[in-house]
Amino acid sequence: MAVTTHADPADETAKVFARAVGAVVAQLRRDRGWSLEDLADEAGKHRTYLGLVERGERHLSIAAAYRIAHALGLSLSTLIQLAESGSAATKQTDHSQRRTVLPGTARREDAVTAITTLDLNWIQQAVESTYRTLDLIDERLINTGSPPLAQVVELANLSAIIGNLLRTALAQLSHGRYMSNEPHKFPDLISASESLEGLEIKIALEKNMPKGHLPKPGPHLICRYVLASRDGTYTRGIRGNAAWIWEIRLGILLQEDFSLSNTEGDSGKTAVIKSSVLDKLPCIYYDQRFLPYAKPRPGHNT
């Protein structure tokens, strides 16, 4: 005779709570700019163990929870309260409201028209499309007990994802004027007109200068982003869990506009766009809410 077993509701509740505790610990750790190793040192626990805790795969004992809370500057009761209220990470990712670009963020239609066959409105729509896709990914991750994408993948991979989403959106919005190239092929967008060059897309985090393995002269769309909370709260120097694009520049780069290096451990040769060159390119998108500098850069006030 077969025996039917039923899941214990208490066990399922415990699993949900473990995921909530892990999400709180992960959010608080990242709010402090700590790596897993940093928290492990402060709490006296192994980084692998803490990784399991953050993913909700390991239940905490009272003693371990106390040590982690103390390392984060919290009381044990506060850590429990945060987890019971739904977790800090879940609170900061409210999917009930669609992210949109503020009016006036996309600008310099003259520059867009002169260099590409794109419409200025497509730039804004491509950014919003990128946000929607990133939010959908975050929703799926959080519903399975995982932190948001920005806390799961390495930042270099996150930049690549943002670039791929922008490229796909722009190709779709252009109504055949541009087509997506194959992955890792130059340029990212191929022009349907033989008289117009394609468009390379470069992505960088915060103040970083976009780079590649080789100089690639030609039209470039250069996008930089920050990590803030999904509701748009941003404090310079503090990283959140949602990518927000703060600047896009557009221009034609020459061979000499790149600085070349051959740094060991940096995948061989690297071609970095010079900061002086980047500042001179027309700024076609600027969201001042997420400026990672102390004051606006050249082109932000035009």
Side-chain angles (χ1 to χ4, degrees), residues 35-49:
S35 64
L36 273 173
E37 287 82 358
D38 294 331
L39 180 56
D41 290 341
E42 293 292 331
K45 293 291 181 180
H46 196 277
R47 66 177 302 278
T48 302
Y49 171 80

Side-chain angles (χ1 to χ4, degrees), residues 131-151:
Y131 288 162
R132 286 197 299 274
T133 304
L134 290 173
D135 291 344
L136 285 172
I137 294 171
D138 283 349
E139 186 174 8
R140 292 291 183 90
L141 288 172
I142 289 173
N143 286 342
T144 60
S146 170
L149 182 68
Q151 298 174 351

Side-chain angles (χ1 to χ4, degrees), residues 145-158:
S146 170
L149 182 68
Q151 298 174 351
V152 173
V153 302
E154 295 181 354
L155 291 177
N157 292 332
L158 179 61

Side-chain angles (χ1 to χ4, degrees), residues 33-286:
W34 289 0
S35 64
L36 273 173
E37 287 82 358
D38 294 331
L39 180 56
D41 290 341
E42 293 292 331
K45 293 291 181 180
H46 196 277
R47 66 177 302 278
T48 302
Y49 171 80
L50 291 176
L52 293 172
V53 168
E54 290 191 354
R55 294 192 296 274
E57 299 173 8
R58 187 68 176 265
H59 292 204
L60 284 170
S61 67
I62 295 294
Y66 173 83
R67 294 181 71 169
I68 292 172
H70 182 74
L72 293 168
L74 303 175
S75 66
L76 177 58
S77 62
T78 299
L79 179 63
I80 292 173
Q81 287 172 1
L82 287 172
E84 287 180 334
S85 65
S87 93
T90 302
K91 277 186 171 183
Q92 290 191 12
T93 310
D94 176 10
H95 299 279
S96 62
Q97 185 174 356
R98 172 177 164 181
R99 288 197 282 168
T100 57
V101 172
L102 295 179
T105 304
R107 72 264 291 278
R108 292 297 306 272
E109 186 172 9
D110 60 325
V112 175
T113 303
I115 298 173
T116 74
T117 57
L118 296 173
D119 185 288
L120 183 63
N121 290 328
W122 298 344
I123 303 296
Q124 172 177 323
Q125 293 170 27
V127 172
E128 291 177 339
S129 173
T130 299
Y131 288 162
R132 286 197 299 274
T133 304
L134 290 173
D135 291 344
L136 285 172
I137 294 171
D138 283 349
E139 186 174 8
R140 292 291 183 90
L141 288 172
I142 289 173
N143 286 342
T144 60
S146 170
L149 182 68
Q151 298 174 351
V152 173
V153 302
E154 295 181 354
L155 291 177
N157 292 332
L158 179 61
S159 297
I161 291 170
I162 293 172
N164 289 333
L165 293 176
L166 274 175
R167 180 193 66 197
T168 302
L170 285 171
Q172 292 173 343
L173 289 163
S174 72
H175 305 291
R177 299 184 189 185
Y178 286 96
M179 296 172 290
S180 288
N181 204 346
E182 297 178 14
H184 310 297
K185 295 287 187 179
F186 174 82
D188 290 303
L189 289 173
I190 302 172
S191 174
S193 171
E194 294 183 359
S195 61
L196 191 69
E197 293 185 76
L199 188 62
E200 178 75 355
I201 298 175
K202 290 292 186 185
I203 311 293
L205 175 67
E206 296 170 350
K207 307 175 187 178
N208 294 337
M209 296 298 111
K211 63 182 179 180
H213 292 305
L214 295 170
K216 297 174 181 178
H220 277 66
L221 187 79
I222 300 168
C223 169
R224 294 197 285 182
Y225 69 99
V226 299
L227 294 175
S229 64
R230 190 181 178 279
D231 65 7
T233 302
Y234 174 67
T235 302
R236 186 160 48 92
I238 298 178
R239 290 178 179 174
N241 56 18
W244 288 87
I245 294 170
W246 70 271
E247 178 190 69
I248 301 177
R249 292 183 184 255
L250 175 66
I252 299 175
L253 299 183
L254 306 175
Q255 182 86 12
E256 56 266 30
D257 293 332
F258 296 84
S259 294
L260 302 181
S261 66
N262 193 6
T263 306
E264 186 177 353
D266 195 22
S267 303
K269 293 182 179 180
T270 303
V272 181
I273 298 173
K274 297 177 181 178
S275 59
S276 58
V277 172
L278 185 62
D279 283 345
K280 292 179 181 178
L281 297 182
C283 180
I284 65 168
Y285 179 100
Y286 172 51

